[in-house]
Amino acid sequence: MICREATKLFLEKGFEETTREIAMVYNITQGNLSYYYPFKYEILTDLYGRFYFQLLIELEKKYGEKIEGAEITILSDMMINRILLSREKLKQSLGWL
């Protein structure tokens, strides 16, 4: 539940400015949020894991076969590289580089 709103806020406001807003949306204190996610990067890790799991399910439905072993490693590497590339392009477009 927290992940859905966190995704929205990360996209709208960026990573650095979101902890207080996430807590406010769920009417909890930042301390309570920190109980479940002691570090903000853990929210991102959770988001990545959920997205990755959902992607595997969708790909298995589309192709009708289980994805495993080396295919999972390749897919994971592709996703990480794409995320890093997108991040760099965003920084360039905002003049941060």
Side-chain angles (χ1 to χ4, degrees), residues 25-66:
V25 166
Y26 291 101
N27 198 29
I28 60 175
T29 65
Q30 283 182 263
N32 283 340
L33 181 61
S34 295
Y35 175 78
Y36 294 102
Y37 296 100
F39 302 98
K40 195 184 309 188
Y41 74 85
E42 291 177 342
I43 298 173
L44 287 176
T45 302
D46 196 10
L47 292 173
Y48 175 79
R50 289 168 189 253
F51 174 75
Y52 184 72
F53 182 71
Q54 188 61 40
L55 178 63
L56 286 177
I57 290 170
E58 294 301 320
L59 288 172
E60 288 175 355
K61 281 183 196 174
K62 181 175 182 174
Y63 296 108
E65 58 187 64
K66 187 153 182 68

Side-chain angles (χ1 to χ4, degrees), residues 2 5-6 9 13 17-34 43:
I2 287 174
E5 192 62 29
L9 288 168
K13 298 187 178 211
E17 305 296 326
T18 52
T19 305
R20 183 172 36 84
E21 287 89 349
I22 293 169
M24 287 173 55
V25 166
Y26 291 101
N27 198 29
I28 60 175
T29 65
Q30 283 182 263
N32 283 340
L33 181 61
S34 295
I43 298 173

